[in-house]
Amino acid sequence: MSYATATSVSLTGITGRLVPVQAEPAAGQPGGIVILGPDGRSMEEARDRVRAGIVNAGLCLPGHRVTVTLPPSDDPAPGSSTDLAMAAVILSTAGLFPPAVLDAAALIGEIGLDGAVRPVRGVLPMVTAAADLGMRTVVVPAANAAEARLVPGITVVAVATLQQLAQWASTGQHPPTPKPATGERPGTGDGYVGDLVHVPAVMTKARWVLEVAAAGGHHLGLVGPPGAGKTLIAQSLPSLLPDLDDAAALEVAALRSAAGVTPPGGGLVRRPPFRAPHHTASLPALLGGGPRAPYPGAVSLAHHGVLHLDNAPEFGNRALVALRHPLDTGQVMLAGARRAVTYPARFQLVLAAQPCPCARPNGADLCTCTDLDRRRCLARMADLWRRTDIRLHLDAMNPKDAVSPDDAAAGESSAVVAARVGSAREHAADRWAALGYRVNAEVPGEILRTGVCALPTCDINPLLHLRRVGTVSDDGHDRILRVAWTLCDLRGADRTDLDDVTTAIDLHVDRQP
C-alpha cells in the first residue's frame, strides 16, 4: 500500500496538456474510492465507471479507502480520457504492480463498465503533446493504436482491457498487436473528388480558372443554372492541389482525430481534404461545437484543403455571417461557458450559387424571377462573395459536350494540370520564402503594394482607375494583385506585367455573361 501517481493527457482544441493523477491510500479506513476533480468536487461518474470496470475485469479493488485527485485547472471536466490513469493508480495502490512503472508513461483511455478500454477522440494530438513534453511511452486503447503510432519517437502500448494493462505493468510484456476491424469502419467524411478530365474540353475558361485558383490558393466563386457544371468544377479542384507535407498532414490528422473521423487505415492522408456540407447543415456542424468538449466542424476539417458551399444562398444567415471569421483569420474560435477552443481553418473556398431562386435548368429562357428576386437571392451571400478572388459565370452545359475520359476529345487530366500547378506553387514559394508564405493568396496586401513587390504605375493603371471610380474596393484591389502574381507564376516569369493585371481584373470583376 503506497502513494501512486500517473500521467494522463487532456485536450483543448488540438492542444494536449499533461494531467498528473495522484492516488493516496488511507490505512485503517473502510474501503472505497473517492475521485476529486480539478475543481475539488467529487467526480462520481468517473468513480462509478472505474470501479465497475476494475471489478468486472476480474481485478481486485484495494481493501482500504483510496483518494484519487486531479490537479486544479481552468477545465473542471477533463473528460473520460483520464479514466485509464485513474484505474492504473488505484490498481497500483492495491499492490498489483509497483508505482514506479507508471512514472515514464502517459495513459489515455476511457474505461467501460465491463473492464474494456474504450477509444477516445483526439488521441493523435494527445500523444503528440505527450511526446513534446518528454514522455517516451504511451498506453492507449487498442482501437486508437494506429493513429498513436503516427507520432515518431514514442513507444505505444495498446491495451484492450484492464487485464492487459495490469499484465503490462506487472511483467513489462506488451499485449498482442490488435488486428484491424473487419466490419464497417467510420470514414473521413470527405466528399467525392473528381478528375479534371471529366470537365468537358469545351469549358475552356472553367478549366483554366481552376488551374489559376489551384496555383495561387485563391477562393473561387461560381454562378450558373443547374447543369452548368458547378459541382463538377468544385470536385475537380482538390485533384489539382499538391500532396500535403508532413506538418500539414499531421495537423489534418489531428483535426480528424479530435472529430473522431480518422481514416480506416489509421495512417496519414496526404491528399488535401474536401468538405461539401449541405446547405441545411447546422451551425455546430459547420463551425464545430458540442455539449461539453467542442469538436471541429466542416471548416476545420477542410483545413489545408477545399470547402465547397453549394447553393450558398440557401445556407442560414447565421452560418453565412459566421463563415467570415475563418475566411479572414484562418481559424475558428468556439467559446462556451467553461472554455474557449480555437481550431485552425485555413481552407480554399469554392462558393457556388444559382442566379435566381427558380433555378430553371435552361437559364433565363424560362426564368420567371424578377430582377429584384435575383438580387435578393445573390445578396444573401454577398459577404462571402466579396471574399472570393476569382469569379466565374457559367451557362447551362450542353449534354452533347460531355465526353468519356478515354475520348480523344477529352481535355487534359488532373495529373497533367497538377504538374503545372506544382511548378507555379514552387515559383511562388521561392519568392515568398523569406516572409514565410507559401502561396500568393496568403500574402498580405501591404506587401504587394509596397517594397520590392510593388508594381510600377504603368502596369496597374487599369486597376487604379477601377479603384478610383469605386468598381473595385481596397480589398478587391489586393485580391486582383494576388491573382496577377499567380498568372505570372503560371507562365514562369519573375515579374508580373500589364497583361497579368488586366487578366486578373477580368477574373475578379463581377461581370454577368
Side-chain angles (χ1 to χ4, degrees):
M1 184 175 65
S2 60
Y3 168 86
T5 182
T7 302
S8 188
V9 186
S10 67
L11 197 63
T12 302
I14 56 172
T15 302
R17 177 179 61 87
L18 296 185
V19 178
V21 179
Q22 301 171 337
E24 175 67 29
Q29 296 191 16
I33 298 175
V34 177
I35 299 180
L36 301 178
D39 57 355
R41 297 181 182 180
S42 176
M43 298 174 62
E44 296 179 357
E45 297 89 347
R47 179 199 63 193
D48 294 341
R49 279 198 311 269
V50 172
R51 183 183 184 281
I54 293 175
V55 171
N56 292 325
L59 302 173
C60 295
L61 286 170
H64 46 266
R65 181 178 178 180
V66 177
T67 301
V68 180
T69 63
L70 276 70
S73 73
D74 296 333
D75 183 9
S80 59
S81 63
T82 58
D83 284 3
L84 191 60
M86 295 179 188
V89 293
I90 292 172
L91 293 175
S92 179
T93 60
L96 268 70
F97 47 82
V101 175
L102 306 176
D103 291 345
L107 296 93
I108 303 166
E110 177 183 340
I111 303 300
L113 298 181
D114 57 351
V117 181
R118 302 174 59 184
V120 294
R121 290 182 176 184
V123 164
L124 177 57
M126 289 182 186
V127 175
T128 301
D132 291 342
L133 294 173
M135 307 300 291
R136 288 296 169 260
T137 302
V138 292
V139 183
V140 300
N144 294 127
E147 57 179 306
R149 291 192 174 100
L150 295 176
V151 181
I154 197 162
T155 301
V156 176
V157 180
V159 296
T161 64
L162 283 178
Q163 288 181 337
Q164 291 184 349
L165 170 69
Q167 181 183 5
W168 166 78
S170 57
T171 66
Q173 295 181 356
H174 286 217
T177 302
K179 295 181 179 179
T182 56
E184 184 179 355
R185 303 172 183 176
T188 61
D190 280 0
Y192 168 77
V193 176
D195 193 285
L196 192 60
V197 74
H198 296 292
V199 179
V202 295
M203 299 179 66
T204 307
K205 185 174 183 180
R207 295 172 61 90
W208 176 66
V209 160
L210 268 180
E211 183 174 346
V212 177
H218 302 295
H219 300 314
L220 178 61
L222 304 172
V223 173
K230 301 185 297 294
T231 301
L232 188 63
I233 292 171
Q235 291 173 341
S236 300
L237 178 57
S239 66
L240 304 182
L241 302 179
D243 288 344
L244 303 177
D245 58 24
D246 290 343
L250 278 173
E251 194 170 20
V252 169
L255 287 165
R256 286 175 167 170
S257 176
V261 291
T262 53
L268 287 180
V269 177
R270 294 289 180 176
R271 293 303 303 153
F274 176 65
R275 310 294 293 195
H278 194 261
H279 60 77
T280 59
S282 64
L283 199 60
L286 285 174
L287 300 180
R292 295 181 66 181
Y295 50 80
V299 295
S300 294
L301 295 175
H303 185 55
H304 292 306
V306 177
L307 179 69
H308 173 40
L309 300 183
D310 198 10
N311 292 326
E314 300 298 324
F315 281 81
N317 285 332
R318 292 181 62 199
L320 294 174
V321 171
L323 284 169
R324 297 182 303 183
H325 184 264
L327 278 172
D328 293 340
T329 65
Q331 61 184 14
V332 57
M333 176 177 289
L334 308 174
R338 293 184 173 183
R339 67 172 77 177
V341 175
T342 300
Y343 288 112
R346 192 169 296 281
F347 53 83
Q348 195 169 345
L349 176 67
V350 179
L351 194 68
Q354 295 163 356
C356 61
C358 74
R360 295 296 180 96
N362 292 327
D365 295 339
L366 300 177
C367 179
T368 58
C369 300
T370 64
D371 290 340
L372 180 60
D373 292 334
R374 297 188 186 95
R375 288 196 296 270
R376 283 177 175 173
C377 176
L378 297 180
R380 288 177 54 83
M381 65 169 191
D383 285 340
L384 299 186
W385 186 257
R386 283 192 290 268
R387 288 166 169 79
T388 57
D389 304 317
I390 301 174
R391 294 140 185 194
L392 180 63
H393 292 269
L394 300 165
D395 294 321
M397 190 167 53
N398 190 338
K400 296 180 180 179
D401 294 334
V403 294
S404 169
D406 298 328
D407 197 316
E412 293 177 320
S413 67
S414 291
V416 175
V417 179
R420 295 199 295 267
V421 169
S423 177
R425 284 192 168 222
E426 289 177 1
H427 204 262
D430 291 340
R431 180 192 310 116
W432 308 117
L435 300 175
Y437 303 112
R438 300 170 302 164
V439 292
N440 295 317
E442 298 177 355
V443 183
E446 183 180 359
I447 294 176
L448 298 174
R449 295 189 303 268
T450 60
V452 295
C453 294
L455 300 178
T457 304
C458 59
D459 287 342
I460 58 173
N461 262 330
L463 179 56
L464 295 176
H465 171 72
L466 293 177
R467 191 177 179 186
R468 281 194 298 268
V469 300
T471 305
V472 171
S473 64
D474 292 346
D475 180 67
H477 172 275
D478 297 339
R479 294 183 184 277
I480 290 173
L481 288 180
R482 297 186 187 106
V483 175
W485 278 107
T486 299
L487 295 171
C488 168
D489 294 331
L490 282 170
R491 60 186 179 86
D494 294 329
R495 193 78 176 177
T496 189
D497 57 19
L498 178 61
D499 290 339
D500 294 330
V501 174
T502 303
T503 305
I505 291 173
D506 291 335
L507 291 176
H508 178 80
V509 175
D510 189 12
R511 296 191 179 104
Q512 296 287 342

